[in-house]
Amino acid sequence: VQIGYGMKHFVPNIMNLLLALCEQTEDAFIVNKNQSVENKDLYGDESTAVDRDDYSRIGRVRSLCFLRLSQMLSKFSFSIDFIKFGKRLWNSMTSSVIALPNTVVNAENPPSLLQLIETVASQRELIPLLQESDNAVIAMFKCIEGTTRSKVIGCIMRAIDGLLTDGGSFVDGDSVTVKAHSLGQKLILKHIHLLISQFTKRLTSDSKAANLDDDVATPNGADKVHKRNPTDGLQLNILCRVSELLVSASEVEDENIETMERLCSLLVPSLKFDSHPNHLYVMRTVSSLIPKISDNAAISHYYSLSKLLGPNKAASGMTSNEARTIISSAITGIGSRGIGSNLNRVATAVVELNAASTAYVNEHDFDRMLPVLNGLGASNDSEGSWFDLSKARSGSECKDSMSSIAGPRVLLPLMFTCFHLLYDSDGVISRASSKALKAIVSTCLDQIQSSKEEQENSSHNAWLKFIESTFMPCLKVGIMAKNLPARRSFVLLVSHVSKLFKGFQSVHLYGDLECLIREDDPDQDFFLNVTHVQLHRRARAFTKLRKLILSDGKESNFSDQSCGNILLPLAMHPVYEIKSKSEEAYVVEAIATIGEIAKKLPWGKYNGTLQTLLNNLTRHPDQERFLIATMCAIIDAFHFDVDTGNSSDDSGTAATDEESTKGNGVWRSLNNRIIPKVETFLVKEKIDKHGSKSKCLRSSVALALMKLFQKLPIATFEAKLPKLVTVVCNGMQNKDSDERDTARDTISKMAVSIDLKYLPLILSSLSVSLCEGYKLHVRSAALHSILVSISKSYASPVIHADKEAMSLPFDRCVPAMLDLIHQDVFGEASVIKEVQNVEKRLVKEAMGSKSLDSLEIIARSILFKPSLVSIPATEPYPGFSHASPVHALVTPLLKRLRDPDVAPSTIGKVKDCLNRIALGFSHNTSATYKEVLPFVFGTVSPFVYGNSSSLSKDGDDDLENSDDEMETPIIVSKSKSKNRADAKSSQGKKIAKTVAVSTWIPSVLGTAADQKSAFDMKKKQKTELHKVSDGVAAPKLTGSSRHSPMTPSTSRTLNNPSNSCAVNFGLVLLYSCLKRLKFDSSDEMMCSMVDPYLPLLTHCVRYSNDNQALVLALKCLGVLLRMDLPSVIKTAKQLGPSILDHLTTSNAAASTQSDIVQGCFKSLTLLITHHKFAAASSNRKPSSEASGENKISEKFQHDGALPLAEEQMQALLNFLHSAVIESDHHNATFGLVKAISSKRFMSAEFYDLMDIILKLSVQSQKSAIRLLSSQIFLQYLMDY
């Protein structure tokens, strides 16, 4: 409750009441404390709980009393004299004052007693109360500890501020003039040493609870994430004002000087490269303290103050003229201690270099600056040069303490100022500074070489140490400057240093970079080109550097310091500074150079560079693409040994605290920081034009991680690979086709870069990630891309052992790949493609035949060794009992063909698949005739012959086939009537043994009484069906086989669509094998393997109705008939008439361009000219005027010398009459004519054919036909 002024008459009574409460609680506190000690001695810890409750109750009462007293004092301090209550007040608080420092430890809010002390110190009328109790002030100062929280320290700082201002207030940013030697200031001066010591503890403690960085933060808090603390700046301000108070003290005691030195040690490190008002206040304080402290203490701050005049990191540093003037005056305060010494001259030069113009705002005083800069850039003999300022003049009265900064160290403020001036926008100042800095390098070299004694022990040379430890670090930082003109100056300074110190062994002088300098050809100079204004010159510099590093020559053996401190920062700048598309080529060259430099970096620099790059990725969104590329280039350059510290290497699991500390430093950094951070950049969120978010894969990051994992131990690689593969596969779920293409290319590159034994992992991830809808099409496209990439670099190896052949990693993936392909061709993906009358979204991956292409690639890449099917496998393929990849590829398709309920559409798909597999097998380099021929025969023969061998030769139906829907052929010849009669009698015997069939027929109406009558009824129906009617009633035959007799029953199996599909596959593979492989006719083993194909192919020619199978069979015969095979004579008598039948069916007279016709002509030509038919015609007389007996014998000779009968030959010649007239595809036609002519066949049709040939030799429009006709007719004239 707030107390009003109307109660001022009751204030003394209230004060007495509150003080009485405090006194009683004080006494009770003391009594309870004594009793608790006695009880503990008697009863041990049993009374602890009771004592705690008493203390808590007493403490709450006292706390409320302190708060009410604080309110009373604050409200009525101007109207009531509280001094008379002073002694009673502090006596009632003795125990609380003593315990106050302990109560603030880790306390979030200030205690009530501390608030009361703050109230007393903040009111001028109440400050005399503190004079009555030094313990209160001492306790307040002791509360300043490293663990004190911000609210508590704020309360203390406000109390001290009240004492300093004699009850006034302090506003941040304002300078309040306080009255000297006030009561509050006297109280502080009385205990100032304690206050400074407590500040020292706080500001140097490990906790840093109230670090001065927070105190001097910018007002807007731009660099702070948290909300600005209201007490920010107050601590530092109080410390500075306490310092002023100490300096203003008239008495100068040794204890005060020591306290001032401690203040300087606290304030100087807090100075920053900033012009914040608090910083300026600190600078003024330090400047006022420097003259008061001892010489050694002042000199100890010389380097820190000098460094404030130089650049800060990659920026220009302190730019405020006021701040630089204050620092210069502080350095002057140090130099003034040695009157006439070189330090005093340097301090004077520093003041001149930082002089500001009095006529213009924020301008330099050039009249004072340029003479100093020009003097520094002059030779060593000139006055005002570096060497002149560094040496002590003779006769000067220097104190002994000044000798500690003699030599080059005295030049520090001048050197730092020159580095700062390199950033100046005025070209005159920056060029003069660059010249001065080059002069100090030359001075260092001259002084090092001039002292032979020091040169022998160069490690103790002051000038060498100066340039190594002071000058070169500034250059190293300046190389990273974002200011282009300033960076150019730093780069040229590095060039100057490396040129002058090329013979020195110190790696910090970068003498190994001298090979990049070309004074004879500036166009080839790296440092001049890399700072050139033209982009192509800068790109040329990086190209030269990269090639030099790649050469691995002696010149390119750069040190770790040169690579990490000079070359790497130069190459990193283009990545962050790219602004236009025209710079992309330059940046790409820089990134490639970074990758080569990273291969030579030590782990510390490599790790730091990569960590910095990862942190900057989110800070530079415009350069994200190039930063990602740079990160990948650095990761690709990983070249360090990794020790996981775990033999089992279970690093793929979640890292525990114990696991995170295992292994060497490289592994810990990779496992705990780098890899997790890089994995966060694998996927990025992308917002499309509709505002929807999607996740896109960063391909380069995935590939870089893959390469990094490959350089780790094998167990670690295998543990981390599944997650990476899963992320890439999930990237193919994106609805953006371009993003899917990126993910697909990535997984393809990954499959090529890793061992093929990890291909099952990729296939498994594909099947899990892409399992529905449009993703099925994406999956087939991804599998195709993987196979295409693998096929470019993979070839089936040469295998000498069957066991080795069974363990090929690619071949063992065939079942898994085939499963994905079958799901695409025959599964849900195929249904989605074929569905009609439904609006479908276009999926690019669904176009084309990716799965068929994949089948071809698999067939081309596997080891063609089907003989493995007969060898027992220790690890058979999933779903198979063998380890033959050929059978694993073909068998599932053939099983679909054997299904009795197979759909026509499925047959078409299987046919396409088998054709592509056959095409792949034909290009398989591991396929040999020893493997191909048995495989093809074993695959095709069941589909060609089927169960025909079990049928009777004449094709009569068995009782089991009585219900067959195939029509019985029309029998033209009656030569086999006896066989039919025998078959009929056998059927009769079987029928006699049958039983009635009426019991199993649903309706007996119109049905046969028994099985015999049913068989007779069906036979009668077939007879009527095949009864030929003449005239108009004759049946109108249609179709391609309308001119040929009905197909015999043995062709039922062959002409089944599913069987025909399998036959075509085998014939395609056989023909490709015969065409590609060179057969040796003298090889008996090969001939024995080929010979069984003649009957098989003859069977196909005789009974196949499939034009493709027929053409393939004829083509294969065209190869086999050229060989001397035992089965030629046996198969020729069946093959010749069958070919003639096909010529009749194919209408040779109408079209000789048909593949069937050409194949028939070629086969007949080979049959007629085969050497096995030459014996019969060898004794034949050539004369055409033979007697009748000779003609009879000649006719017999014709029958033995030709595979066709005389009537068939006449029919063939009739076909040739019209065939030779055709102008296209004449080679086979004229070849057949020439073959017949070589046999000296005689008939009227042949003479008519020669007349046509004669006319063609003259009248044909084509020279080739005229030539062939002339040759044939000439041979005819000679033979006949």
Side-chain angles (χ1 to χ4, degrees):
V1 179
Q2 295 292 330
I3 302 175
Y5 283 103
M7 296 185 64
K8 66 179 180 178
H9 301 289
F10 304 97
V11 169
N13 296 331
I14 296 175
M15 283 292 297
N16 290 325
L17 179 60
L18 292 174
L19 291 176
L21 287 174
C22 290
E23 290 171 350
Q24 291 180 3
T25 54
E26 177 73 13
D27 295 338
F29 179 80
I30 296 174
V31 171
N32 287 338
K33 183 177 181 182
N34 295 331
Q35 289 181 355
S36 63
V37 173
E38 295 177 358
N39 293 336
K40 188 173 182 181
D41 295 336
L42 295 175
Y43 306 105
D45 297 333
E46 296 180 359
S47 62
T48 304
V50 178
D51 296 340
R52 289 177 181 174
D53 293 339
D54 294 339
Y55 287 148
S56 177
R57 184 169 57 255
I58 296 172
R60 287 195 297 270
V61 173
R62 290 177 64 81
S63 178
L64 292 173
C65 291
F66 295 159
L67 291 176
R68 299 294 83 81
L69 286 171
S70 177
Q71 293 178 357
M72 296 287 292
L73 294 174
S74 175
K75 182 71 74 173
F76 302 103
S77 61
F78 296 99
S79 57
I80 296 177
D81 184 14
F82 290 101
I83 304 301
K84 59 184 179 180
F85 299 103
K87 187 174 182 180
R88 187 180 176 190
L89 175 68
W90 299 117
N91 289 335
S92 64
M93 301 179 182
T94 302
S95 60
S96 298
V97 170
I98 295 173
L100 180 61
N102 295 328
T103 59
V104 300
V105 176
N106 293 325
E108 188 69 28
N109 297 310
S112 56
L113 178 58
L114 189 60
Q115 296 181 35
L116 176 60
I117 296 175
E118 178 193 356
T119 302
V120 174
S122 301
Q123 303 289 336
R124 182 179 180 182
E125 292 77 8
L126 300 177
I127 291 178
L129 287 174
L130 292 174
Q131 191 176 10
E132 297 184 10
S133 176
D134 290 341
N135 293 333
V137 179
I138 293 172
M140 179 180 65
F141 287 171
K142 286 183 179 181
C143 291
I144 304 175
E145 293 285 350
T147 57
T148 308
R149 300 295 180 89
S150 59
K151 291 183 180 180
V152 178
I153 203 69
C155 180
I156 299 172
M157 292 301 105
R158 289 190 294 271
I160 298 175
D161 176 68
L163 294 177
L164 288 172
T165 59
D166 198 22
S169 59
F170 174 75
V171 181
D172 191 14
D174 295 340
S175 179
V176 181
T177 304
V178 297
K179 184 177 180 181
H181 307 295
S182 63
L183 182 59
Q185 293 175 356
K186 290 179 180 179
L187 290 174
I188 292 178
L189 280 173
K190 187 176 181 180
H191 307 287
I192 193 169
H193 306 299
L194 174 62
L195 178 61
I196 299 302
S197 63
Q198 292 300 118
F199 265 116
T200 304
K201 291 180 181 180
R202 176 172 178 79
L203 299 180
T204 58
S205 64
D206 296 334
S207 60
K208 301 284 186 181
N211 196 315
L212 288 185
D213 290 344
D214 294 334
D215 296 338
V216 296
T218 53
N220 57 6
D223 296 332
K224 296 292 179 183
V225 178
H226 57 80
K227 186 177 179 180
R228 179 175 168 80
N229 194 320
T231 62
D232 284 350
L234 186 57
Q235 297 179 67
L236 188 60
N237 186 278
I238 294 297
L239 191 58
C240 292
R241 291 161 63 187
V242 168
S243 303
E244 291 180 353
L245 180 63
L246 184 61
V247 172
S248 64
S250 57
E251 65 279 359
V252 180
E253 301 176 355
D254 294 339
E255 188 177 5
N256 290 344
I257 294 175
E258 183 180 354
T259 304
M260 292 181 189
E261 293 175 355
R262 292 166 64 186
L263 279 172
C264 278
S265 300
L266 288 176
L267 294 176
V268 171
S270 67
L271 295 175
K272 304 296 180 183
F273 295 85
D274 195 359
S275 58
H276 190 273
N278 281 344
H279 272 143
L280 296 178
Y281 198 4
V282 175
M283 292 177 188
R284 294 191 192 96
T285 303
V286 171
S287 181
S288 63
L289 288 173
I290 289 294
K292 301 287 186 179
I293 62 179
S294 63
D295 295 341
N296 291 330
I299 292 172
S300 65
H301 302 302
Y302 186 72
Y303 177 80
S304 299
L305 294 174
S306 301
K307 194 174 181 180
L308 291 173
L309 297 175
N312 177 30
K313 297 181 179 179
S316 59
M318 192 182 299
T319 57
S320 171
N321 288 332
E322 182 182 3
R324 299 186 71 83
T325 302
I326 296 173
I327 297 299
S328 300
S329 63
I331 294 175
T332 303
I334 299 175
S336 62
R337 297 171 180 273
I339 306 300
S341 68
N342 55 348
L343 181 59
N344 190 25
R345 297 173 59 216
V346 169
T348 304
V350 170
V351 173
E352 296 297 317
L353 276 180
N354 292 281
S357 174
T358 57
Y360 301 97
V361 179
N362 294 330
E363 287 287 342
H364 299 297
D365 192 340
F366 294 98
D367 295 336
R368 298 172 63 184
M369 292 179 63
L370 289 178
V372 178
L373 286 175
N374 293 333
L376 293 175
S379 61
N380 293 340
D381 300 334
S382 303
E383 184 178 0
S385 64
W386 295 103
F387 181 68
D388 179 61
L389 293 175
S390 65
K391 63 182 181 179
R393 293 191 176 184
S394 59
S396 61
E397 299 177 357
C398 301
K399 297 182 180 180
D400 295 338
S401 59
M402 293 297 106
S403 60
S404 61
I405 53 173
R409 188 164 177 259
V410 76
L411 305 175
L412 286 175
L414 290 175
M415 183 197 70
F416 283 118
T417 304
C418 289
F419 276 121
H420 166 76
L421 294 177
L422 289 178
Y423 292 87
D424 198 281
S425 57
D426 191 287
V428 176
I429 297 295
S430 61
R431 287 193 295 272
S433 301
S434 178
K435 182 180 178 181
L437 290 171
K438 289 182 179 180
I440 195 175
V441 176
S442 302
T443 300
C444 290
L445 180 64
D446 294 341
Q447 296 305 312
I448 294 171
Q449 293 177 346
S450 62
S451 177
K452 295 182 180 180
E453 181 179 354
E454 292 182 349
Q455 190 176 7
E456 292 176 357
N457 192 4
S458 59
S459 60
H460 298 289
N461 191 302
W463 288 93
L464 180 60
K465 187 178 295 186
F466 171 77
I467 194 170
E468 281 186 350
S469 61
T470 307
F471 187 86
M472 296 310 298
C474 294
L475 280 186
K476 182 179 71 174
V477 175
I479 289 293
M480 296 182 287
K482 297 180 180 179
N483 187 305
L484 291 178
R487 186 167 72 223
R488 185 176 188 275
S489 300
F490 280 106
V491 172
L492 296 179
L493 278 174
V494 172
S495 174
H496 184 69
V497 172
S498 61
K499 179 177 64 176
L500 294 182
F501 290 89
K502 62 180 179 180
F504 285 73
Q505 296 181 354
S506 176
V507 294
H508 301 289
L509 297 175
Y510 310 118
D512 52 348
L513 297 179
E514 190 271 338
C515 61
L516 300 175
I517 303 173
R518 291 289 299 274
E519 293 182 343
D520 56 335
D521 188 3
D523 291 341
Q524 299 298 324
D525 190 291
F526 169 77
F527 295 102
L528 292 178
N529 282 332
V530 82
T531 57
H532 203 276
V533 68
Q534 295 178 334
L535 278 176
H536 72 277
R537 292 284 293 273
R538 282 181 269 169
R540 184 195 303 173
F542 287 126
T543 303
K544 178 185 177 182
L545 176 62
R546 180 168 56 85
K547 292 181 178 179
L548 188 62
I549 296 175
L550 283 171
S551 64
D552 290 332
K554 185 176 180 180
E555 293 182 349
S556 63
N557 190 19
F558 300 119
S559 64
D560 296 342
Q561 286 74 13
S562 297
C563 291
N565 299 334
I566 304 299
L567 300 180
L568 183 62
L570 288 178
M572 292 290 289
H573 283 300
V575 180
Y576 290 98
E577 296 173 355
I578 180 173
K579 296 180 180 179
S580 62
K581 192 175 181 64
S582 60
E583 300 178 8
E584 287 189 2
Y586 165 54
V587 177
V588 169
E589 188 61 42
I591 293 174
T593 307
I594 292 172
E596 296 301 326
I597 295 173
K599 295 178 181 179
K600 295 182 174 295
L601 295 178
W603 169 246
K605 190 65 178 180
Y606 180 94
N607 184 29
T609 303
L610 189 54
Q611 295 278 8
T612 303
L613 197 64
L614 292 172
N615 294 332
N616 288 336
L617 270 171
T618 56
R619 302 172 185 170
H620 301 272
D622 295 337
Q623 285 80 25
E624 178 184 298
R625 179 163 65 98
F626 301 100
L627 290 174
I628 289 290
T630 306
M631 178 190 70
C632 296
I634 295 176
I635 293 176
D636 290 346
F638 184 84
H639 57 281
F640 306 97
D641 296 330
V642 177
D643 179 16
T644 60
N646 191 352
S647 57
S648 59
D649 206 353
D650 298 330
S651 57
T653 59
T656 62
D657 294 340
E658 183 180 356
E659 291 174 349
S660 62
T661 59
K662 289 183 178 180
N664 58 359
V666 176
W667 166 244
R668 291 196 300 271
S669 182
L670 284 175
N671 192 39
N672 300 333
R673 293 189 298 274
I674 294 178
I675 293 178
K677 185 72 173 179
V678 174
E679 286 177 343
T680 60
F681 296 103
L682 269 174
V683 179
K684 66 176 179 180
E685 281 194 356
K686 185 178 180 182
I687 302 177
D688 59 11
K689 59 182 179 181
H690 303 294
S692 59
K693 294 182 179 180
S694 61
K695 292 185 177 181
C696 306
L697 177 72
R698 288 188 173 101
S699 174
S700 56
V701 179
L703 295 175
L705 274 177
M706 170 64 68
K707 294 180 180 178
L708 176 61
F709 293 161
Q710 287 178 302
K711 297 175 183 178
L712 301 178
I714 185 66
T716 306
F717 169 71
E718 292 176 351
K720 293 187 175 295
L721 180 62
K723 180 181 177 181
L724 182 61
V725 173
T726 301
V727 172
V728 177
C729 291
N730 290 338
M732 286 183 277
Q733 298 178 355
N734 200 305
K735 294 185 178 181
D736 189 350
S737 61
D738 294 336
E739 299 298 334
R740 293 199 302 269
D741 292 344
T742 301
R744 190 166 60 250
D745 294 341
T746 304
I747 199 68
S748 301
K749 293 177 181 178
M750 290 172 62
V752 173
S753 63
I754 61 178
D755 196 286
L756 285 177
K757 68 179 181 180
Y758 301 110
L759 185 58
L761 173 63
I762 297 178
L763 299 177
S764 176
S765 298
L766 285 177
S767 61
V768 173
S769 302
L770 309 171
C771 58
E772 58 182 359
Y774 73 94
K775 301 174 187 176
L776 298 174
H777 308 306
V778 179
R779 183 173 67 184
S780 62
L783 177 60
H784 175 258
S785 298
I786 291 172
L787 290 173
V788 169
S789 301
I790 292 176
S791 64
K792 294 178 180 178
S793 58
Y794 176 78
S796 183
V798 179
I799 301 299
H800 301 287
D802 293 337
K803 186 177 181 180
E804 186 180 357
M806 293 180 183
S807 60
L808 292 177
F810 182 83
D811 294 358
R812 297 199 65 85
C813 296
V814 169
M817 292 186 288
L818 200 62
D819 179 53
L820 298 180
I821 293 173
H822 277 232
Q823 291 182 37
D824 180 65
V825 176
F826 304 102
E828 182 181 351
S830 177
V831 175
I832 296 175
K833 290 181 183 179
E834 296 171 357
V835 67
Q836 298 179 355
N837 301 325
V838 177
E839 185 178 355
K840 296 179 289 186
R841 186 168 61 90
L842 178 63
V843 179
K844 183 172 64 175
E845 289 84 355
M847 303 171 63
S849 55
K850 300 289 191 307
S851 295
L852 298 181
D853 296 339
S854 300
L855 281 174
E856 181 181 345
I857 296 172
I858 294 172
R860 187 171 64 242
S861 303
I862 63 174
L863 177 66
F864 193 90
K865 196 174 180 63
S867 59
L868 294 174
V869 74
S870 60
I871 302 175
T874 56
E875 296 182 4
Y877 291 167
F880 298 92
S881 60
H882 55 77
S884 171
V886 178
H887 286 84
L889 189 62
V890 176
T891 302
L893 296 172
L894 298 182
K895 283 184 178 180
R896 291 183 181 273
L897 294 178
R898 291 192 179 98
D899 185 2
D901 299 327
V902 60
S905 60
T906 304
I907 295 176
K909 295 176 183 177
V910 173
K911 184 177 181 180
D912 293 337
C913 293
L914 290 176
N915 287 338
R916 299 302 288 272
I917 292 174
L919 183 60
F921 283 158
S922 65
H923 291 87
N924 194 312
T925 56
S926 64
T928 60
Y929 73 89
K930 294 181 181 180
E931 295 287 346
V932 174
L933 295 178
F935 170 72
V936 173
F937 191 83
T939 302
V940 175
S941 58
F943 293 96
V944 173
Y945 297 116
N947 296 324
S948 60
S949 59
S950 64
L951 297 174
S952 58
K953 194 171 182 179
D954 57 354
D956 290 336
D957 289 339
D958 209 352
L959 182 61
E960 296 176 356
N961 297 328
S962 60
D963 292 333
D964 198 345
E965 295 179 2
M966 294 292 293
E967 297 177 355
T968 56
I970 299 175
I971 304 301
V972 179
S973 175
K974 297 182 179 181
S975 62
K976 298 181 180 179
S977 59
K978 183 178 179 181
N979 295 335
R980 288 200 304 273
D982 295 340
K984 188 173 182 180
S985 62
S986 63
Q987 287 180 358
K989 293 178 182 179
K990 292 181 181 179
I991 294 171
K993 298 179 181 179
T994 58
V995 296
V997 297
S998 59
T999 56
W1000 54 270
I1001 293 183
S1003 175
V1004 297
L1005 183 62
T1007 60
D1010 53 19
Q1011 188 173 1
K1012 182 178 183 303
S1013 58
F1015 180 77
D1016 294 339
M1017 185 183 298
K1018 182 162 186 175
K1019 181 179 179 182
K1020 182 178 179 181
Q1021 292 174 356
K1022 289 184 178 180
T1023 304
E1024 292 178 354
L1025 182 63
H1026 293 284
K1027 185 177 180 180
V1028 179
S1029 301
D1030 295 332
V1032 181
K1036 303 297 188 295
L1037 300 178
T1038 60
S1040 60
S1041 61
R1042 60 183 179 273
H1043 300 292
S1044 64
M1046 301 299 289
T1047 305
S1049 60
T1050 54
S1051 65
R1052 296 172 186 172
T1053 302
L1054 180 60
N1055 291 322
N1056 189 320
S1058 58
N1059 293 358
S1060 178
C1061 176
V1063 171
N1064 286 335
F1065 161 70
L1067 294 180
V1068 169
L1069 184 56
L1070 175 63
Y1071 179 67
S1072 65
C1073 176
L1074 296 175
K1075 187 177 180 181
R1076 182 171 59 90
L1077 301 177
K1078 296 181 179 180
F1079 289 98
D1080 186 5
S1081 59
S1082 62
D1083 190 350
E1084 297 181 358
M1085 180 179 177
M1086 184 188 66
C1087 292
S1088 63
M1089 296 175 68
V1090 171
D1091 188 64
Y1093 279 98
L1094 277 179
L1096 185 141
L1097 295 174
T1098 302
H1099 188 90
C1100 292
V1101 172
R1102 292 182 66 190
Y1103 300 114
S1104 178
N1105 289 337
D1106 188 355
N1107 290 340
Q1108 183 180 1
L1110 181 60
V1111 171
L1112 289 171
L1114 291 173
K1115 288 182 177 180
C1116 293
L1117 287 171
V1119 178
L1120 298 181
L1121 290 176
R1122 301 177 188 273
M1123 304 173 64
D1124 186 12
L1125 300 177
S1127 301
V1128 173
I1129 295 295
K1130 181 179 178 181
T1131 58
K1133 296 303 180 180
Q1134 298 176 347
L1135 183 60
S1138 299
I1139 293 176
L1140 187 61
D1141 291 341
H1142 284 296
L1143 283 174
T1144 305
T1145 306
S1146 303
N1147 193 10
S1151 175
T1152 60
Q1153 298 182 14
S1154 171
D1155 291 338
I1156 296 177
V1157 174
Q1158 294 296 313
C1160 290
F1161 283 169
K1162 291 179 181 178
S1163 299
L1164 285 175
T1165 302
L1166 293 172
L1167 280 174
I1168 292 172
T1169 58
H1170 200 278
H1171 68 91
K1172 288 186 179 292
F1173 296 99
S1177 61
S1178 60
N1179 298 323
R1180 182 175 53 85
K1181 295 182 179 180
S1183 176
S1184 62
E1185 298 177 356
S1187 61
E1189 295 177 357
N1190 290 334
K1191 288 181 180 180
I1192 295 173
S1193 64
E1194 186 174 322
K1195 178 179 180 181
F1196 175 78
Q1197 291 170 353
H1198 286 321
D1199 292 339
L1202 297 173
L1204 297 175
E1206 185 175 0
E1207 296 82 359
Q1208 294 171 336
M1209 289 295 298
Q1210 292 175 359
L1212 177 61
L1213 290 172
N1214 289 328
F1215 288 127
L1216 291 175
H1217 286 175
S1218 59
V1220 295
I1221 300 176
E1222 292 288 335
S1223 59
D1224 296 331
H1225 301 284
H1226 50 266
N1227 291 333
T1229 306
F1230 283 92
L1232 179 57
V1233 174
K1234 187 183 293 186
I1236 297 174
S1237 175
S1238 65
K1239 292 294 182 177
R1240 300 180 181 179
F1241 179 77
M1242 297 178 63
S1243 68
E1245 291 81 1
F1246 182 75
Y1247 288 110
D1248 295 339
L1249 179 61
M1250 289 299 104
D1251 291 339
I1252 298 174
I1253 294 295
L1254 178 61
K1255 292 180 181 180
L1256 288 175
S1257 66
V1258 178
Q1259 299 176 356
S1260 177
Q1261 301 296 324
K1262 293 186 176 181
S1263 59
I1265 294 180
R1266 292 198 303 269
L1267 178 61
L1268 289 174
S1269 300
S1270 301
Q1271 292 175 353
I1272 292 173
F1273 195 77
L1274 178 61
Q1275 186 67 33
Y1276 165 72
L1277 293 177
M1278 294 173 61
D1279 292 343
Y1280 287 79

